[in-house]
Amino acid sequence: MGQPLNLGLVGCGAISAQYLRTIDRLPQVRLVAVADLDLERAREAVAPYPGVDVLTVAELMADARVDAVLNLTIPAAHAEVALQAIAAGKDVYCEKPLAATGEDARRVLEAAQAAGVRVGCAPDTVLGTGTQTARQAIDDGLIGRPVAATATMVTPGHERWHPNPDFYYVPGGGPLLDMGPYYISSLVTLLGPVSAVIGAASRTRAKRTIGSGPRQGEEIPVTVDTHVTGVLVHESGALSTLVMSFDAVATKAPNIEVHGERGPRGARPQPLRRRGPADPARRRGPAPAAGVGRVLRRGPRRRPDRPRRGPRAQGGRDAGLPRP
């Protein structure tokens, strides 16, 4: 193995803690600096990790030690920070979404291509054992030709647990751009590229009330749709139905279910179910958990778990980070 990749992290909000813990365990990468608009918050974030410098964003971008920038800012700032890193000649790995708009995302990709640097974007959870095991089951023909899938994420909203949830309810936020990437990337991994999309969206409340932290009880405005449903038409002909909601309370629907034209014994159409990404209504935080594929068939209601596939026992963040 060569020299580790030197990372500079921009954005020390709630999600940075998970990245910091994972990076600390990876010999292939080394965190050399962090930056945040709030330097005190940056110092607190890296206090358990000695040797990491706290810099301004401009200082981090100019730091010759930094090979790649890990962009964990709020969605509205993703494109701006990514473009700064690209202009500095650095690779970029960005939390989802890549940008708040398609136009900004294209600008990032075009700038990276012109500069000859690499751009990556979360979620990399499809590299975990949940999606990889489900994909292996499909590749093995266990359910026959996939004909349809459903993906469901229902929660009353992240303002219940997040102390600063404002960005979830402004452009770049909402359930589709916040949680949808986990589900859509899994569906594309399982069923292939999407050629067409049909969709509709609604907004139930004009304000949300923060439920924890120093701002508990404060109302924040909602300027994006908070319930999104649609159909993804895959090039293979399979249809995926998507429900992403910050309005509904709970659901009994599987997070992801894939239906094939036959079961493992040709008995009848069978679904392949997997647990995860986790419904944040059942945990404090939006981080998805790894799942394990299950096949339903005639006879026993549930076949034993499929052998796990993939190197990651957990589908957490970091697998997609660039390697030296």
Side-chain angles (χ1 to χ4, degrees), residues 257-269:
E257 184 171 77
V258 181
H259 297 265
E261 61 182 347
R262 61 175 175 82
R265 294 183 178 177
R268 62 179 179 177

Side-chain angles (χ1 to χ4, degrees), residues 4-306:
L5 185 79
N6 288 334
L7 289 178
L9 184 155
V10 180
C12 296
I15 198 58
S16 67
Q18 184 172 345
Y19 276 96
L20 289 168
R21 287 192 299 269
T22 304
I23 291 170
D24 192 50
R25 299 194 301 265
L26 294 177
Q28 307 99 322
V29 295
R30 177 171 56 208
L31 185 65
V32 298
V34 298
D36 193 277
L37 294 177
D38 183 344
L39 292 180
E40 185 55 36
R41 180 168 65 175
R43 293 187 185 96
E44 292 176 0
V46 297
Y49 308 100
V52 179
D53 292 337
V54 175
L55 307 174
T56 66
V57 175
E59 289 171 341
L60 186 146
M61 296 300 178
D63 194 324
R65 299 172 301 165
V66 175
D67 301 313
V69 171
L70 179 55
N71 184 1
L72 305 184
T73 56
I74 61 172
H78 282 182
E80 178 186 354
V81 172
L83 288 170
Q84 290 179 37
I86 291 168
K90 304 182 188 302
D91 295 331
V92 185
Y93 186 85
C94 186
E95 247 303 332
K96 46 75 188 165
L98 180 60
T101 67
E103 181 181 355
D104 282 345
R106 281 190 292 270
R107 288 173 56 215
V108 170
L109 295 177
E110 289 170 356
Q113 184 175 23
V117 300
R118 297 174 294 177
V119 171
C121 185
D124 54 18
T125 48
V126 295
L127 302 176
T129 54
T131 302
Q132 291 299 308
T133 302
R135 173 60 188 267
Q136 184 67 60
I138 292 172
D139 290 348
D140 288 347
L142 208 61
I143 61 171
R145 180 174 62 91
V147 297
T150 60
T152 306
M153 191 290 300
V154 167
T155 173
H158 294 340
E159 73 278 5
R160 295 169 305 123
W161 59 268
H162 200 293
N164 294 292
D166 310 67
F167 67 93
Y168 288 119
Y169 299 103
V170 298
L176 185 62
L177 289 183
D178 176 55
M179 294 300 293
Y182 299 115
Y183 294 82
I184 294 172
S185 61
S186 291
L187 292 171
V188 170
T189 299
L190 296 175
L191 302 179
V194 173
S195 59
V197 176
I198 305 163
S202 63
R203 191 180 313 171
T204 301
R205 288 171 278 168
K207 295 181 180 180
R208 298 276 176 145
T209 302
I210 298 176
S212 66
R215 299 172 62 195
Q216 185 174 3
E218 179 182 337
E219 289 190 335
I220 57 174
V222 176
T223 60
V224 294
D225 289 331
T226 47
H227 184 96
V228 181
T229 185
V231 175
L232 311 179
V233 182
H234 296 266
E235 290 181 359
S236 64
L239 302 178
S240 292
T241 302
L242 193 74
V243 176
M244 300 284 116
S245 182
F246 282 171
D247 290 335
V249 175
T251 180
K252 292 184 178 180
N255 298 116
I256 294 179
E257 184 171 77
V258 181
H259 297 265
E261 61 182 347
R262 61 175 175 82
R265 294 183 178 177
R268 62 179 179 177
Q270 301 291 331
L272 170 66
R273 292 179 177 174
R274 58 157 300 210
R275 302 190 298 270
D279 181 353
R282 300 173 186 170
R283 56 183 289 148
R284 294 184 63 81
V292 177
R294 294 179 182 270
V295 176
L296 305 187
R297 64 172 188 173
R298 179 181 294 169
R301 288 186 59 83
R302 189 174 67 192
R303 183 173 177 167
D305 287 355
R306 290 278 296 171

